[in-house]
Each structure stands twice: as C-alpha cells, then as structure tokens.
Amino acid sequence: MKQGRQVIAFLSFLSGTHNLSAAFQNAQTFTRTHDISPSPPSMLLKSHVSTSFGRIIDEATSPISTSSTSLHNSYLDTLSDSSSSSTTGTKRVIDFSSLSKYIFSAGVQVGLFSLSFFTLDKVLERANMSVLPSPITWLLFYAISLRSRVFNPLNNQRPDSPKLKNRIMPKWTPPGVVFPILWLILIPSLRATSSTIIVNSLGRYLDVTILSLIFHLTCGDIWNTITNIECRNGTSALANVFTYLAAVYASLSYGIINPTAGKLLGLTCVWLTIASALITQTWRLNKGADGKKDSLLPMKLKGEESPTKFWFQKNGMEGTD
C-alpha cells in the first residue's frame, strides 16, 4: 500500500515536470506578445518544484502518519481496557470476615461442649455418681463423633453446588462405599471406645484430655464448611493441617492417661493421613482459570460480601473460588 502510493506520487511529479516545461514555453510567448519582462526561470522552477515536492511528501508520508496514529491510539485503548478491567471488581483480598467467623465458631463449639460436660458432671455429682454406665458413655461419644457440628454456629447445610460436583479428584481416590464405612462406623467407634476408657479412668467428663478430642472434631467441622459449603480448596488444605495435628495431639493426650485408649484413637490417624494426602492432591488438581492453585487463605473479590455464613443467616453460600 505504502509503495503504491509513493509510485503514484512519483508519476505525479513527472507529470508536473512536463507541465512545467509547457508553462515555460507559454510564458515566453506571452511575454514577447505583450512586451512584459519575464520572471527569471529559476523563480518559476523553484515555485513549481516546491509545490510538487510538498505534494509528494504529503502523499508519501500520510499513510505512515495515519498508520502510526492509528497504532498509537489502538495501543492506548488496549491499556485503557486492561487498566479498567484490573480496577473494577477483579482485585482479590483476604477474607478477614471468614477468618474471624472460623475462630469465633471454634470458640463457641468448644465452649458449649465444655459447658455441657460441666453440667453433666454436676448432675452426676448430685446423684452420687462419678460417670454414666459405660454403654451410655460409649453411645454419648459415638453421637458426639457423628454430630459434633450441632454446637457449631456455621452454616453446615450442604448446597447443590456445581463446583462441588465438578471438582477434580485424584485417580487413586477410594471407592465411594469406603467413606460411609470409615466415617459412620469405624472411626466413630474408635473415638467412642477410647473416650469411654478415658472417662472411666478420670472419673469425670470435663477434662482437657477429653477436650482435645472435642477440639479435633471442631476443626473437622470448620473444615467441612470450608470444603463442602464454600468450596475453597486452598483453605481446605490449610484447615486440614490443623484438623490432622489436633487428632495427633488428642491421641497422644489419651495415651498419657491410658496407653490402650491412645492406641485406639491413634488408629484414626492412619485414615486421616490418607485423607490429608487426598485433600492436598485435590487442591493441586483444581486450578483456577488463570492456571494457579487456590489460595491457602480465604479470599474474596474486593467489595464482595463474605461467603461464610452462620446457620441463622439468610442467603447461604452456593460455593466460591
């Protein structure tokens, strides 16, 4: 395009040169006829050449100038679009509201269990009893293991979230039938049996040893909210660390009081080790649109409402990044 316009301009220059020659001849004839002193040919040549070259330069450089201006404007528009998109609703910040609710919920749950055990001890004391019969104690801790979240104020109602359904799981994930057997039968039974041994050994329910198991269950309930309600894979991996360490600590605490109880509760850590690897690998596999793994800390878009809700709050969460 550019070369074509230059050729056209050059041809125009040649045409102008031809016209200049004819103009000289007409000027000479006119001056002889009317007896007018002619202007020096050099002045005419200078004027015409100046006009011709001006037109040539304008034609030759106009595509470049237009192209450069267009390119410059296009680049500025791109920067403007990028700048506006990066400043309007795409900035992610730490969700301190969620963090505070996690900590608050943990305190409430442990506090309510402590109050319940304290009340139970006082009632039994008035009845001249130290502890309940072992079968009842066993059933109590079996129920606590299954439904400890009744004392947790976070929203634990599992939604029908597409993100939960479309979550990529490791290839070595155990079959679905394994999870109910472990979580509903085996692990609650081990917790109930070991806790019954500890209660009978201590002669009371409210004790830091028992509360170490309660703290482990509390961490697990918060992890459940983060993982299955909010679908935060990164924060789930981080919360699982606390859940796992709490289980190890509870097993060691039980072992100090009664070695058998410690070993029974320690067996649950075998499965928790496998589950921890499963959770970590799930976090690594499920990357965002930008190809990055989810943040370990709870994040949200700036100006967006926190997805973490208490059970009594409306508009529960349907899952976030």
Side-chain angles (χ1 to χ4, degrees):
M1 177 71 73
K2 174 182 173 182
Q3 293 179 350
R5 293 196 177 188
Q6 290 178 341
V7 170
I8 293 173
F10 181 71
L11 293 175
S12 299
F13 172 70
L14 293 179
S15 176
T17 305
H18 175 73
N19 294 336
L20 177 61
S21 176
F24 281 154
Q25 294 178 0
N26 293 334
Q28 291 176 356
T29 303
F30 182 82
T31 53
R32 281 197 293 267
T33 304
H34 298 278
D35 195 20
I36 300 174
S37 59
S39 299
S42 60
M43 293 180 63
L44 293 173
L45 178 62
K46 181 178 179 181
S47 175
H48 189 80
V49 169
S50 176
T51 303
S52 299
F53 271 112
R55 187 172 68 253
I56 293 171
I57 292 173
D58 289 341
E59 292 178 357
T61 58
S62 60
I64 301 175
S65 300
T66 304
S67 176
S68 300
T69 302
S70 177
L71 179 61
H72 180 68
N73 292 337
S74 176
Y75 177 70
L76 291 178
D77 291 341
T78 302
L79 290 180
S80 177
D81 293 341
S82 300
S83 176
S84 60
S85 63
S86 63
T87 57
T88 54
T90 58
K91 185 177 181 181
R92 296 176 63 82
V93 295
I94 298 176
D95 191 351
F96 289 103
S97 177
S98 291
L99 286 174
S100 62
K101 288 180 179 178
Y102 298 155
I103 297 173
F104 174 77
S105 298
V108 169
Q109 185 168 352
V110 174
L112 289 177
F113 269 111
S114 299
L115 180 60
S116 299
F117 290 147
F118 174 80
T119 303
L120 180 58
D121 284 337
K122 289 299 180 181
V123 171
L124 291 174
E125 183 180 349
R126 287 178 175 271
N128 294 322
M129 297 175 61
S130 59
V131 297
L132 294 170
S134 293
I136 298 178
T137 299
W138 191 92
L139 290 174
L140 173 64
F141 280 96
Y142 186 88
I144 289 175
S145 180
L146 291 177
R147 288 291 181 266
S148 59
R149 62 177 177 269
V150 296
F151 282 157
N152 192 297
L154 289 176
N155 174 28
N156 286 300
Q157 184 178 1
R158 185 170 300 184
D160 187 19
S161 174
K163 292 186 178 182
L164 192 61
K165 293 181 178 180
N166 298 329
R167 185 168 52 190
I168 302 174
M169 302 296 292
K171 295 180 179 179
W172 51 271
T173 302
V177 68
V178 173
F179 293 93
I181 295 175
L182 288 170
W183 290 117
L184 299 179
I185 300 175
L186 181 59
I187 291 180
S189 298
L190 290 172
R191 289 170 177 169
T193 303
S194 59
S195 296
T196 301
I197 295 173
I198 294 299
V199 168
N200 290 332
S201 299
L202 294 173
R204 61 182 180 273
Y205 290 90
L206 181 58
D207 188 85
V208 292
T209 305
I210 296 296
L211 291 181
S212 66
L213 174 64
I214 296 301
F215 181 70
H216 161 64
L217 296 176
T218 299
C219 292
D221 292 332
I222 296 174
W223 173 87
N224 177 70
T225 298
I226 295 171
T227 306
N228 297 317
I229 308 301
E230 301 173 0
C231 298
R232 286 171 161 168
N233 294 318
T235 310
S236 170
L238 179 61
N240 177 71
V241 174
F242 292 95
T243 305
Y244 181 79
L245 292 178
V248 174
Y249 177 76
S251 300
L252 294 175
S253 298
Y254 273 41
I256 293 175
I257 303 300
N258 187 292
T260 302
K263 292 177 182 178
L264 289 174
L265 190 59
L267 289 175
T268 64
C269 294
V270 176
W271 164 247
L272 292 177
T273 301
I274 300 173
S276 297
L278 191 66
I279 293 168
T280 303
Q281 185 64 11
T282 301
W283 166 55
R284 295 178 60 187
L285 289 175
N286 291 269
K287 298 180 180 180
D290 55 359
K292 297 181 180 179
K293 295 188 291 291
D294 191 24
S295 172
L296 291 174
L297 294 175
M299 306 291 289
K300 67 172 185 176
L301 295 179
K302 187 175 182 180
E304 182 183 57
E305 184 181 3
S306 174
T308 305
K309 305 291 183 182
F310 294 123
W311 62 265
F312 51 82
Q313 290 180 303
K314 297 180 179 181
N315 300 325
M317 186 58 194
E318 293 293 333
T320 61
D321 291 336

